[in-house]
Amino acid sequence: CCVGHTCVDRVRPGDEVEVVGVYQSKNDRYSNSKFGFPVFSTNIVCNYIRRKGDVKVGDLTTEDERQILDLAKSKDVRERIIASIAPSIFGHEHIKTALAYSMFGGRRKIVQGKHRIRGDINVLVLGDPGVAKSQFLKYVEKTFHKTVYTTGKGASAVGLTASVRRDVVTGEWTLEGGALVLADEGICLIDEFDKMSDQDRTSIHEAMEQQSISISKAGIVTSLQARCAVIAAANPVQGRYDSQLTFQENVDLTDP
């Protein structure tokens, strides 16, 4: 996609966009000589670009505003929200409370225009196998407007943060965002968190704390935004949670 003029810097990596443009195709001589048959490279010349998911106050109807205000005035609004989290799963009110807090999030603060305090809440769900930890993550994936679901076994440090690869057609180095970048302004769900290696797990510390990912590879030096909450699910070390041990001894995760 070729972007120019007023469309530049309107979106960032991780945003879902709607693009209006002209579809073009051209004969690629490099690929023709390499593969031995005609190859056409495609491109979209962008005329208009809009980020999806932006909900403005004007998009809410009068009925929506009335229902929101009525819900805010009710005394049991907290209990009603917690009860609506995964209603098919019985009990686990403390887990549902933590998931509700993470989905709603907090308020971001900028102290004196310099220091930035994140408002997203990271949650680690630790429990024995078969207690519906993955079902909680699946519920958040289906309910929240923007989520990225991944597993600890199939996730790596590059897949979670960002990677640099060489374009086949142009031969230039391009930057591709990982799961945390794609989940910007959303939630990143990581199942089987304990199955990740220590090196891959420590790579997301910057994204969880500073909500940014710094890249310095192949002559590309930049910083990508990863303003997302992380909800992870893990099993205890011995397979069963031992109440006689501390939480850190049951988790066995490296310190940030």
Side-chain angles (χ1 to χ4, degrees):
C1 183
C2 181
V3 180
H5 302 291
T6 59
C7 297
V8 177
D9 291 337
R10 295 188 61 178
V11 294
R12 295 183 64 98
D15 295 337
E16 295 183 7
V17 298
E18 292 181 357
V19 177
V20 178
V22 180
Y23 181 82
Q24 296 179 345
S25 62
K26 60 180 180 179
N27 190 9
D28 189 2
R29 297 180 180 179
Y30 173 76
S31 299
N32 291 345
S33 60
K34 181 179 180 180
F35 298 106
F37 56 87
V39 177
F40 293 88
S41 60
T42 60
N43 187 28
I44 297 178
V45 180
C46 177
N47 295 329
Y48 174 77
I49 186 170
R50 184 177 71 89
R51 187 172 63 175
K52 297 175 61 176
D54 291 342
V55 180
K56 300 180 180 179
V57 179
D59 298 336
L60 298 177
T61 62
T62 306
E63 181 65 21
D64 294 337
E65 294 179 2
R66 186 187 62 82
Q67 292 181 0
I68 293 174
L69 293 176
D70 292 343
L71 181 62
K73 294 178 182 178
S74 60
K75 297 181 180 180
D76 59 341
V77 58
R78 179 178 178 273
E79 287 73 15
R80 292 174 61 181
I81 292 176
I82 294 174
S84 64
I85 302 296
S88 60
I89 301 176
F90 179 78
H92 301 296
E93 293 186 0
H94 56 293
I95 298 178
K96 296 181 179 180
T97 303
L99 295 179
Y101 287 160
S102 181
M103 293 174 68
F104 278 86
R107 183 178 180 182
R108 295 171 183 166
K109 299 180 181 179
I110 300 179
V111 182
Q112 298 179 353
K114 299 180 180 179
H115 182 60
R116 180 174 175 271
I117 301 177
R118 61 180 175 85
D120 297 309
I121 302 175
N122 302 319
V123 177
L124 174 62
V125 182
L126 181 70
D128 299 341
V131 293
K133 298 188 301 296
S134 299
Q135 295 299 322
F136 279 118
L137 298 185
K138 286 294 184 180
Y139 174 82
V140 177
E141 180 187 12
K142 295 179 180 179
T143 305
F144 206 72
H145 68 280
K146 186 177 182 181
T147 58
V148 175
Y149 185 90
T150 183
T151 57
K153 291 183 178 180
S156 62
V158 176
L160 290 173
T161 55
S163 62
V164 177
R165 71 177 184 89
R166 186 185 295 273
D167 189 85
V168 179
V169 179
T170 61
E172 298 179 352
W173 291 99
T174 58
L175 185 65
E176 292 186 354
L180 293 171
V181 178
L182 297 177
D184 186 37
E185 297 287 352
I187 297 178
C188 181
L189 307 170
I190 305 177
D191 200 2
E192 302 292 340
F193 193 65
D194 56 305
K195 302 299 188 299
M196 295 177 61
S197 62
D198 294 339
Q199 183 178 1
D200 296 339
R201 196 183 297 117
T202 53
S203 64
I204 67 176
H205 286 168
E206 179 189 1
M208 295 177 64
E209 182 178 358
Q210 304 296 333
Q211 294 195 321
S212 63
I213 295 176
S214 302
I215 298 296
S216 179
K217 296 179 181 179
I220 299 177
V221 180
T222 184
S223 179
L224 302 177
Q225 291 184 350
R227 300 163 297 179
C228 64
V230 177
I231 300 179
N235 295 326
V237 179
Q238 304 297 332
R240 296 286 181 180
Y241 191 88
D242 191 353
S243 59
Q244 296 182 356
L245 301 177
T246 61
F247 179 81
Q248 185 176 2
E249 293 174 343
N250 278 284
V251 180
D252 193 21
L253 298 178
T254 56
D255 296 333

